[in-house]
Amino acid sequence: ESTSTQTPVLLTIRELRQTTKMGRSFVYQEIQAGRFPRPVKLGRSSRWLATEIHEWVNAQACARSPKTTG
């Protein structure tokens, strides 16, 4: 089955904060700075695409400096 026909999973701010462990103010600060995925607006509510958040988390992990051994 194609992924394009599946309904996207949308996260609330509460679920987003549980996933990222970031505070609400920090999330919106990072969005304004262009460093965090923008929300999908549904009326007055904001929701985030789970796939974009998982991609962002993976990018953060990949961008960290390599662990030194010694």
Side-chain angles (χ1 to χ4, degrees):
E1 184 173 315
S2 172
T3 56
S4 62
T5 60
Q6 294 178 352
T7 303
V9 175
L10 298 174
L11 303 176
T12 64
I13 187 67
R14 177 176 286 186
E15 293 166 326
L16 174 70
R17 291 182 61 213
Q18 289 173 343
T19 301
T20 63
K21 306 300 185 205
M22 297 188 324
R24 177 188 297 260
S25 296
F26 186 73
V27 166
Y28 284 103
Q29 179 182 339
E30 292 299 288
I31 291 167
Q32 288 288 56
R35 294 186 293 256
F36 195 77
R38 294 174 53 217
V40 174
K41 297 298 278 187
L42 300 174
R44 292 175 33 187
S45 300
S46 295
R47 299 290 186 268
W48 286 261
L49 289 166
T51 54
E52 289 183 356
I53 300 307
H54 294 303
E55 288 170 6
W56 180 86
V57 169
N58 288 336
Q60 300 309 301
C62 291
R64 63 185 171 176
S65 54
K67 191 175 185 180
T68 57
T69 58

